[in-house]
Amino acid sequence: KPNHHQHQSGATPEQKPLSCPSLSTRRELYERDFPLYKQPVEVGCFSLDAERRFFNDSRQMRYFVEPDRNPNFDLRDGYKGRYVKRDDSVREKLDHILRWIVANRSKLDSSATTASSRALDVDFVTWRGHLTKLLTTPYETREGWLLAVTRFSGTLYISEVETEAAQRERDNRTERHEEMMYWGYKFEQYTCADNPDSLPDPSGVVNTNEAFCTVVQTRLADHRLLFSGEVDCRDKDPDAPAPPACYVELKTSAEICTPKQRSNLHRFKLLKWWAQSFLPGVPRVVAGFRDHEGVVVSMETFHISKISHLIKNEYNCWKPTVCMNFCSDFMSFVKHMATEDNPSVVYLFSWEPRRDVTFSIHRDSQYSFLPHWYVKEMTS
Ligand code: A3P
Ligand code: MG
Ligand code: MG
């Protein structure tokens, strides 16, 4: 049974007579048995092309080509001249997922769904990336988040709102940071081919508008989830298991030279890598380790199912059960608080490190995110 830590923020009645319910993010509160997490099932996919246009198919799927154990990939190559960067000031919200839902209603209609009740038979619709942020919240010490929630026809839609701090960081990135963001995509180009029987083409353009996204359905405790996440590539073997088991997540990381650096990878980076891939059921992460000049000098595969064992020897380390129980309790909190079923009402959940999760309510505000075309389609 999920425990709700909806306390009165510790304020005395004189100080704060109308305190809002809140949810604690303290790790100790979530150290209980691992909650039920059903094997994620891929219910569909979509692609975003070089101009960020939506296609209800897998045209942007790429195929993993195992590199040499000791590669020599220059991640700086093409930064000046063969790089088309996605405009990250465009707020896409849930629009691509909603387009997918509209195009695939029939796949989602349960036996209980009749012509008169057109509701989706899921409790939550969101991006995988938003769920990754929830999973890592009990261990996050630097960056807070804002999550807008709207209840519409019984389903809770969760869409992230950029915090002021995140916008400031985005506006003030150093040239070095801008270039390093390119490195991760360049690594993908060195290790991915467009067809199962072709080779990677590092002479091409890196265009970060392009994406292949999986849409999965699963259940966390008593929460039925539908979410989408970008997938880097898949196993090119036609006999590989069905999606999402054939998918491969690619990562780059600084070269490891000392035991302390290895320990830091386990304690901080593997938390993010695990959370991101565990959610959609992606079984492995292939990491390329790079030196300070951006040259990948070694490779390592991390199996998601083995990460919890890998980290057990680390002092004061993160625990998968804390991540999943916090996420489950957050969803119970949202279900209880976001009660008005109205596509133009937003419950804005907000969190800053060392604080509890709180929320505020907004009607017909700048925060409303369900587009009219979606509301119309789903009510007709
Ligand atoms: P790395 O993961 O190798 O750092 P993803 O790994 O999720 O597929 O993302 C691909 C690349 O996008 C990342 O490569 C990184 O270069 C860039 N990227 C992803 N999230 C980012 C973020 N929050 N800030 C900056 N760059 C990011
Ligand atoms: Mg990716
Ligand atoms: Mg990746």
Side-chain angles (χ1 to χ4, degrees):
K1 186 185 182 294
N3 48 349
H4 289 274
H5 317 285
Q6 299 155 29
H7 50 73
Q8 303 299 304
S9 300
T12 63
E14 306 82 64
Q15 291 169 316
K16 219 181 169 195
L18 293 168
S19 64
C20 170
S22 63
L23 179 72
S24 173
T25 62
R26 289 174 51 212
R27 298 164 196 177
E28 319 84 80
L29 296 169
Y30 302 97
E31 293 207 13
R32 46 180 204 268
D33 287 349
F34 201 85
L36 170 83
Y37 191 65
K38 272 188 62 189
Q39 185 79 266
V41 173
E42 180 174 86
V43 291
C45 63
F46 59 85
S47 294
L48 304 172
D49 75 359
E51 286 151 63
R52 207 68 182 166
R53 289 176 301 203
F54 173 98
F55 294 90
N56 184 30
D57 57 41
S58 62
R59 68 183 64 193
Q60 293 290 348
M61 171 80 83
R62 290 183 298 175
Y63 299 83
F64 179 59
V65 178
E66 185 91 38
D68 213 78
R69 267 185 73 83
N70 298 102
N72 235 296
F73 301 144
D74 178 6
L75 301 181
R76 308 179 86 156
D77 179 50
Y79 178 63
K80 297 246 154 74
R82 298 197 324 280
Y83 180 27
V84 178
K85 186 177 174 282
R86 179 173 74 89
D87 180 353
D88 56 14
S89 68
V90 176
R91 308 268 59 102
E92 298 179 324
K93 297 169 285 190
L94 298 185
D95 290 8
H96 298 307
I97 301 177
L98 303 180
R99 279 200 70 175
W100 181 89
I101 290 173
V102 166
N104 296 275
R105 275 305 290 285
S106 55
K107 290 187 192 177
L108 293 168
D109 287 344
S110 71
S111 50
T113 310
T114 63
S116 58
S117 99
R118 308 257 293 148
L120 292 178
D121 68 337
V122 296
D123 299 313
F124 290 93
V125 170
T126 193
W127 281 107
R128 176 270 310 276
H130 303 355
L131 298 177
T132 304
K133 286 202 175 176
L134 287 169
L135 261 61
T136 58
T137 296
Y139 298 105
E140 179 62 48
T141 58
R142 291 197 308 237
E143 291 168 6
W145 46 250
L146 287 170
L147 293 171
V149 176
T150 291
R151 184 186 286 268
F152 170 51
S153 295
T155 296
L156 293 146
Y157 295 82
I158 307 180
S159 179
E160 187 173 27
V161 173
E162 189 173 44
T163 63
E164 280 180 32
Q167 193 189 329
R168 264 198 310 275
E169 278 203 16
R170 189 162 55 79
D171 292 340
N172 297 313
R173 281 186 198 131
T174 62
E175 180 49 38
R176 170 86 178 168
H177 188 197
E178 281 287 344
E179 184 180 336
M180 286 179 71
M181 283 175 50
Y182 167 79
W183 293 0
Y185 298 107
K186 184 65 188 177
F187 178 63
E188 295 175 6
Q189 193 193 49
Y190 277 112
T191 52
C192 296
D194 288 339
N195 299 289
D197 37 30
S198 63
L199 288 171
D201 176 18
S203 73
V205 169
V206 169
N207 185 325
T208 60
N209 287 295
E210 297 177 14
F212 166 78
C213 295
T214 180
V215 183
V216 305
Q217 244 184 315
T218 184
R219 193 152 77 95
L220 170 60
D222 58 349
H223 312 299
R224 296 167 300 168
L225 318 180
L226 177 75
F227 60 85
S228 175
E230 204 223 340
V231 168
D232 292 337
C233 57
R234 60 158 289 160
D235 191 324
K236 65 185 162 76
D237 184 346
D239 296 325
C246 61
Y247 292 150
V248 180
E249 172 60 42
L250 301 171
K251 290 291 177 195
T252 60
S253 197
E255 187 183 3
I256 288 167
C257 305
T258 67
K260 171 99 174 155
Q261 289 170 338
R262 166 64 58 174
S263 182
N264 282 340
L265 177 89
H266 287 183
R267 293 181 58 204
F268 306 109
K269 230 163 210 185
L270 285 193
L271 163 60
K272 309 245 168 164
W273 293 4
W274 172 83
Q276 183 188 30
S277 288
F278 179 76
L279 281 163
V282 172
R284 62 182 161 137
V285 174
V286 172
F289 292 98
R290 46 135 188 102
D291 64 19
H292 281 289
E293 274 76 58
V295 177
V296 173
V297 290
S298 65
M299 304 285 302
E300 192 170 334
T301 297
F302 294 89
H303 294 271
I304 294 303
S305 61
K306 292 182 182 164
I307 286 181
S308 61
H309 308 292
L310 252 187
I311 61 167
K312 271 185 182 130
N313 295 323
E314 300 293 343
Y315 169 74
N316 196 5
C317 203
W318 59 278
K319 294 187 178 85
T321 198
V322 168
C323 301
M324 298 305 282
N325 282 319
F326 171 73
C327 186
S328 174
D329 284 11
F330 173 77
M331 287 174 161
S332 301
F333 183 58
V334 168
K335 276 183 181 171
H336 282 103
M337 299 301 138
T339 49
E340 185 178 339
D341 199 305
N342 182 335
S344 62
V345 171
V346 162
Y347 293 79
L348 187 64
F349 290 83
S350 128
W351 178 72
E352 286 299 329
R354 297 173 304 280
R355 301 225 180 278
D356 292 346
V357 178
T358 57
F359 70 94
S360 51
I361 307 173
H362 306 262
R363 289 169 192 283
D364 306 296
S365 72
Q366 48 170 344
Y367 295 116
S368 294
F369 61 87
L370 287 182
H372 290 117
W373 56 260
Y374 182 73
V375 174
K376 196 172 161 208
E377 185 71 36
M378 301 301 278
T379 33
S380 65

